[in-house]
Amino acid sequence: MKKRGEAGGQIYETVTYLILLVIFFVGMLYFVLQQQSGAGIWEQYYAKELVKIIDFSKPGDALILDVQRGSEIAKKNGVLSFSTMFVFDNAAHEVCVKLNTGGKRTCHNYFNDADVAEVQLQLAGGKNAEGMDVNVLSFKIVDRQRRDLGGERV
Amino acid sequence: MNSLLHRKSFGRRGEVGAMTMAVLFLFYLALIGVAILSGHFIFYGKGYDSRQVEAELLAMKVRSCIQEQTVIDKLFFEKLHERCALEKGVVEKFYNLRVCKNSAECISETQPLIGLGSKFQACRFDAATENESYPRCAFVRFKQGNDWFEIITISSQESRRNLG
């Protein structure tokens, strides 16, 4: 009787430990695999590079950026629609980049008081230095438009 | 009776031992977790830092704006954001900007033409370039007519993770 009781208690403890261990390692593995694609660092890279380009530009400029690497990472992470990868918020002067299916995206602000318009992601729309087709992001810088909610300037 | 008591006290000692093992187990898990996270952050580093370039871009933009003006007066600097197409909210939140005219040292100038922010003293430190916690500064000095202008800009913007 005593031994069966002890055995039952030991099994209970062992199973509890095993469950905790499995939960812990699954969590760690998920975290490491998420980071392995480097989506976080590439989101930062694209957001900051886009901000630099926008800050350097003037109204009337048309810009094209090679986003082949970013779109490869997004596809690998299960992003179904490339149109959600790059989002420009003219009201907040913000560029947001999302290369994964998680709930968060990386955002960065630009100080140029201009709007970004005609944003297009073209698959195989450009060529790299080796002459290979690459995905490109194109957009135009235009004068700041008045906001309907009482914008600051025309 | 004695054997019952003996059995009860034996049960309590066993429970204390089991609890100690559980705490030790959780401690080992935490240790492994910390090791994995530390390795990750050491390998991937702190991210992509573009503050220096952002500060230089702002300084360059303000310089171009001043150079395009025919009249540079107090009103121009009061409306600098509008005249130079700068988004006021973003500049005030993430940047420091100081413009001086005919000043020996703009950082310690008591009456700059425009002074947004107060972290400029950190720009003097040579060691600041090695320390990521220090802001990134850009200096531009140029002559316009008979006057020397000096522009100092600092960027402290970090990218954010927003829901969306």
Side-chain angles (χ1 to χ4, degrees):
Chain A
M1 179 77 173
K2 224 165 135 180
K3 281 178 195 162
R4 271 205 295 272
E6 280 180 5
Q10 269 195 333
I11 289 171
Y12 174 75
E13 283 173 15
T14 307
V15 166
T16 308
Y17 285 145
L18 278 173
I19 290 171
L20 276 175
L21 203 62
V22 166
I23 291 170
F24 172 78
F25 276 111
V26 164
M28 278 290 137
L29 196 67
Y30 175 77
F31 172 75
V32 169
L33 288 175
Q34 278 281 309
Q35 302 301 318
Q36 212 175 11
S37 64
I41 194 83
W42 280 101
E43 283 181 2
Q44 271 193 51
Y45 170 76
Y46 278 112
K48 290 178 180 179
E49 287 298 307
L50 282 166
V51 158
K52 276 195 259 176
I53 291 168
I54 293 168
D55 283 337
F56 190 70
S57 303
K58 291 183 178 176
D61 289 346
L63 303 152
I64 298 176
L65 185 72
D66 179 354
V67 295
Q68 179 66 24
R69 185 78 179 105
S71 50
E72 282 173 359
I73 291 170
K75 188 180 173 187
K76 193 177 167 188
N77 288 336
V79 173
L80 297 173
S81 170
F82 286 156
S83 59
T84 58
M85 273 170 57
F86 301 96
V87 175
F88 296 84
D89 185 345
N90 287 323
H93 286 79
E94 191 176 64
V95 175
C96 293
V97 181
K98 189 171 173 181
L99 301 180
N100 57 58
T101 52
K104 292 192 173 184
R105 53 189 182 173
T106 301
C107 300
H108 210 71
N109 287 91
Y110 53 90
F111 59 70
N112 193 354
D113 198 17
D115 283 355
V116 175
E118 296 181 34
V119 179
Q120 255 191 318
L121 182 67
Q122 296 166 313
L123 300 177
K127 290 202 184 290
N128 63 8
E130 286 85 35
M132 292 176 64
D133 288 334
V134 293
N135 300 334
V136 295
L137 177 73
S138 63
F139 54 92
K140 287 185 181 174
I141 305 296
V142 300
D143 283 317
R144 180 82 191 273
Q145 304 300 311
R146 183 189 288 279
R147 301 279 161 251
D148 290 333
L149 296 173
E152 293 173 7
R153 52 168 280 185
V154 176
Chain B
M1 184 70 171
N2 285 338
S3 61
L4 263 175
L5 281 171
H6 178 70
R7 212 178 297 143
K8 267 195 179 172
S9 62
F10 182 79
R12 276 198 218 109
R13 277 204 294 272
E15 280 172 14
V16 168
M19 273 178 63
T20 309
M21 288 308 295
V23 168
L24 260 178
F25 178 74
L26 289 172
F27 173 72
Y28 289 143
L29 281 186
L31 210 61
I32 293 167
V34 164
I36 292 172
L37 286 173
S38 304
H40 163 261
F41 284 112
I42 288 168
F43 182 76
Y44 285 106
K46 285 205 171 184
Y48 183 63
D49 190 358
S50 64
R51 290 175 298 159
Q52 182 66 46
V53 175
E54 288 169 6
E56 287 171 6
L57 275 173
L58 180 60
M60 197 180 74
K61 186 152 182 148
V62 172
R63 173 189 172 159
S64 302
C65 184
I66 292 173
Q67 286 177 325
E68 285 167 9
Q69 300 300 315
T70 48
V71 176
I72 303 170
D73 54 9
K74 194 179 173 186
L75 183 64
F76 168 74
F77 287 102
E78 282 175 5
K79 295 195 180 286
L80 184 77
H81 297 98
E82 289 177 28
R83 300 284 177 92
C84 299
L86 298 173
E87 166 56 28
K88 191 175 180 182
V90 172
V91 172
E92 286 180 353
K93 191 173 177 184
F94 299 115
Y95 295 87
N96 290 11
L97 170 66
R98 198 169 178 94
V99 181
C100 305
K101 182 175 164 184
N102 297 325
S103 172
E105 196 185 20
C106 191
I107 288 176
S108 49
E109 175 63 49
T110 51
Q111 290 183 325
L113 292 171
I114 185 165
L116 282 176
S118 56
K119 292 187 221 173
F120 298 97
Q121 293 295 336
C123 294
R124 292 176 190 259
F125 303 146
D126 292 335
T129 54
E130 303 289 331
N131 190 331
E132 288 174 8
S133 302
Y134 278 87
R136 294 290 176 255
C137 309
F139 300 86
V140 169
R141 192 173 164 85
F142 63 98
K143 194 171 181 184
Q144 177 90 343
N146 295 325
D147 299 314
W148 277 97
F149 288 90
E150 187 169 356
I151 301 169
I152 305 173
T153 53
I154 298 174
S155 170
S156 53
Q157 185 178 186
E158 298 289 346
S159 54
R160 298 163 305 285
R161 298 277 290 163
N162 294 347
L163 284 170

